[in-house]
């Protein structure tokens, strides 16, 4: 089974621009989450989508948004980019088949550099 | 406010010895804890988890210990191998882990010397 894929892997943007990152979950996984990793803050939860609906949200400004499509693929958008948005953006997927705990599987991430 | 803290940014251990990675948390509502390993240019990989109703969980060379009164957990790797060299993140969640919202620590870089 293919793992979580993220595109693009690397991206360079300038301040004020917007960016869209894409995540394809593992086949059959319906839950997708996004995290931001920076050297000083570690991994921080952005949001989670399940069945095209946002289920959970972290403490990020409204410039960060996302969506999920009917095939479970997800996109994350950041508008009006700031230098501090430079980070590794990780996507994780999970199956959710019952009340048990299912592991999240992470993609390799998209490294965004804002100049 | 860092709810999950890994106070050691790095750790160096000889091959064959024990590696002990530590993690402290402040939120008493956390009831599920996980450890992830991350190599450069890859996403984090799940290692082991523990529910707050337990104080120990073991999986091969990896053991996680939870001390709820001290709000402290640790990951023991025995014996350490050079391939274990990576950044280790501890993470916590509420709702027994039935949520994707994990609160991560800032990571500890483990270097296992041959």
């Amino acid at each position: 089974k293919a793992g979580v894929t993220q595109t693009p892997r690397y991206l360079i943007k300038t301040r004020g621009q917007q960016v869209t990152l894409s995540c394809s979950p593992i086949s059959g996984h319906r839950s997708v989450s996004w995290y931001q990793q920076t050297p000083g803050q570690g991994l921080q939860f952005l949001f989670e989508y399940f069945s095209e609906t946002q289920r959970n949200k972290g403490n990020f400004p409204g410039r960060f948004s996302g969506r999920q499509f009917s095939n479970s693929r997800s996109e994350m958008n950041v508008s009006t980019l700031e230098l501090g948005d430079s980070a590794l953006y990780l996507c994780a997927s999970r199956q959710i088949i019952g009340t048990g705990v299912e592991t999240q599987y992470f993609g390799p991430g998209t490294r965004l550099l804002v100049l | 406010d860092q709810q999950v803290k890994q106070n050691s940014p790095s750790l160096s251990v000889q091959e064959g010895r024990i590696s002990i990675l530590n993690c402290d948390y402040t939120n008493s509502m956390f009831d599920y804890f996980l450890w992830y390993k991350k190599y450069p240019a890859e996403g984090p990989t799940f290692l082991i988890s523990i529910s707050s109703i337990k104080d120990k969980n073991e999986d091969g060379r990896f053991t996680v210990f939870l001390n709820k009164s001290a709000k402290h957990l640790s990951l023991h790797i025995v014996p350490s191998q050079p391939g274990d060299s990576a950044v280790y993140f501890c993470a916590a969640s509420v709702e027994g882990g039935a949520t994707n919202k994990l609160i991560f620590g800032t990571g500890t870089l483990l270097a296992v010397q041959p």
Side-chain angles (χ1 to χ4, degrees):
Chain A
K1 209 183 247 191
V4 178
T5 57
Q6 293 186 245
T7 56
R9 292 293 309 277
Y10 303 92
L11 204 49
I12 300 176
K13 291 284 188 179
T14 55
R15 277 182 300 172
Q17 287 187 308
Q18 76 162 22
V19 67
T20 299
L21 311 181
S22 180
C23 171
S24 292
I26 292 172
S27 177
H29 286 197
R30 295 166 59 198
S31 170
V32 173
S33 298
W34 289 88
Y35 290 83
Q36 181 197 63
Q37 184 186 5
T38 56
Q41 298 294 321
L43 283 90
Q44 293 186 287
F45 175 80
L46 279 156
F47 28 65
E48 174 195 357
Y49 285 87
F50 177 72
S51 292
E52 303 176 62
T53 302
Q54 188 179 90
R55 278 210 319 184
N56 233 325
K57 193 176 189 304
N59 297 324
F60 278 81
R63 300 185 296 107
F64 292 81
S65 63
R67 59 177 176 167
Q68 187 180 33
F69 302 94
S70 58
N71 62 358
S72 295
R73 190 177 70 84
S74 177
E75 286 181 349
M76 190 193 91
N77 185 78
V78 187
S79 62
T80 320
L81 283 166
E82 300 177 359
L83 295 179
D85 297 333
S86 295
L88 179 68
Y89 290 88
L90 291 158
C91 166
S93 77
R94 195 161 68 127
Q95 196 169 10
I96 304 193
I97 56 175
T99 56
V101 177
E102 297 110 4
T103 303
Q104 287 192 71
Y105 293 88
F106 282 84
T110 294
R111 185 161 296 280
L112 172 65
L113 176 62
V114 181
L115 302 175
Chain B
D1 178 30
Q2 197 73 24
Q3 297 185 68
V4 178
K5 300 176 185 178
Q6 293 177 257
N7 292 318
S8 298
S10 63
L11 175 68
S12 182
V13 170
Q14 285 293 121
E15 180 179 4
R17 299 287 185 96
I18 183 171
S19 295
I20 300 176
L21 298 109
N22 293 303
C23 180
D24 297 294
Y25 61 95
T26 58
N27 189 343
S28 57
M29 297 298 292
F30 288 144
D31 57 7
Y32 195 73
F33 304 90
L34 309 91
W35 283 94
Y36 280 83
K37 178 169 76 171
K38 187 179 185 301
Y39 294 117
E42 295 182 14
T45 303
F46 170 76
L47 268 179
I48 192 169
S49 63
I50 187 167
S51 163
S52 61
I53 62 173
K54 294 185 176 182
D55 53 20
K56 177 183 174 181
N57 189 25
E58 195 171 349
D59 184 1
R61 296 186 298 114
F62 302 92
T63 303
V64 56
F65 294 92
L66 175 63
N67 182 334
K68 287 190 291 296
S69 60
K71 295 192 177 66
H72 177 84
L73 67 154
S74 60
L75 174 68
H76 292 211
I77 306 174
V78 181
S80 301
Q81 301 172 354
D84 296 329
S85 297
V87 177
Y88 289 77
F89 292 95
C90 70
S93 79
V94 297
E95 301 177 41
T99 171
N100 281 17
K101 185 176 181 179
L102 299 179
I103 310 300
F104 281 85
T106 51
T108 296
L109 174 62
L110 173 65
V112 180
Q113 310 296 335

